[in-house]
Amino acid sequence: MPVDGSSPVLLEGDEWKAYFRNFKHSAFRLEVHQVYTMPAEAETLSSFLAGEPKPEDFNGTWHQTIRGHKAAGRTMTRAKLVHRPLTDYSRYLFEWAIPGNVEAGEDYRIVDVTEREVGVPNQDFWMFDETTVVHLNYRPDGTQINRELIHSPDISQYLAWRDQALESSIPFSDYRT
């Protein structure tokens, strides 16, 4: 519930997708959970765990989005917190999802928190143009509850969390090696 007592604004469908179409300069994601139970990924996650080859054009639509933003001079950055040993879901991301995102132009960074804390919240969020914050709320099993637009966010706090995550991170390609 928003601190100001107003009703939460929950984002779905095209209203949610519009944030990815309409940002002007930057989109940043803090990704803190080790497992996400996303219905759209269930089949490909099962295929990965079964040792099947990655489908051709895997995440192709998302990669087009990233490429389009990069070509227009907009940045997409993500900081993913990981604990070792990696979960099956994180291994799936590392093998099938993240390499294509990086190749398309996303600055995907890894924050290994196996033996340290980095001073960021246990809350996934997207921040668009350093002005708009959307919390991604999940159950403990990784199932998404909702996407909540934050009323009057303390942007300085979110910027500090972003900066802390980025300062504590390394590029995905460096972490993977």
Side-chain angles (χ1 to χ4, degrees):
M1 184 69 127
V3 177
D4 64 8
S6 60
S7 298
V9 175
L10 303 180
L11 302 172
E12 296 182 22
D14 195 59
E15 185 179 19
W16 168 236
K17 291 175 185 175
Y19 284 87
F20 294 96
R21 286 192 306 270
N22 300 331
F23 73 89
K24 305 292 184 215
H25 307 286
S26 65
F28 170 80
R29 164 90 186 261
L30 180 65
E31 195 170 290
V32 301
H33 296 285
Q34 302 307 296
V35 174
Y36 295 92
T37 308
M38 306 300 289
E41 294 177 336
E43 187 177 330
T44 55
L45 176 60
S46 291
S47 296
F48 168 78
L49 294 173
E52 296 174 17
K54 180 170 68 172
E56 224 174 281
D57 201 31
F58 178 77
N59 277 352
T61 301
W62 180 245
H63 298 157
Q64 285 178 311
T65 298
I66 295 168
R67 282 191 291 276
H69 287 305
K70 182 174 180 156
R74 295 182 290 269
T75 61
M76 296 185 76
T77 305
R78 192 179 312 228
K80 172 154 185 54
L81 276 61
V82 298
H83 298 270
R84 287 178 275 119
L86 297 177
T87 63
D88 286 344
Y89 185 83
S90 289
R91 290 188 314 100
Y92 161 74
L93 288 180
F94 277 41
E95 295 298 320
W96 280 25
I98 299 172
N101 292 6
V102 170
E103 185 178 307
E106 184 174 12
D107 181 10
Y108 211 115
R109 306 186 64 81
I110 303 299
V111 183
D112 192 322
V113 293
T114 304
E115 298 176 1
R116 65 184 173 142
E117 292 186 25
V118 294
V120 297
N122 189 30
Q123 174 66 57
D124 279 52
F125 66 85
W126 277 99
M127 181 171 48
F128 299 96
D129 295 325
E130 299 183 350
T131 60
T132 303
V133 175
V134 177
H135 281 188
L136 305 166
N137 299 311
Y138 294 92
R139 292 183 181 89
D141 72 351
T143 304
Q144 190 172 72
I145 299 167
N146 59 36
R147 293 175 292 265
E148 180 182 358
L149 180 64
I150 302 303
H151 293 280
S152 303
D154 178 356
I155 288 297
S156 64
Q157 182 62 73
Y158 286 92
L159 292 171
W161 287 330
R162 178 204 60 195
D163 294 348
Q164 181 61 40
L166 294 177
E167 288 169 14
S168 302
S169 72
I170 61 172
F172 170 73
S173 57
D174 292 348
Y175 185 82
R176 196 164 181 206
T177 58

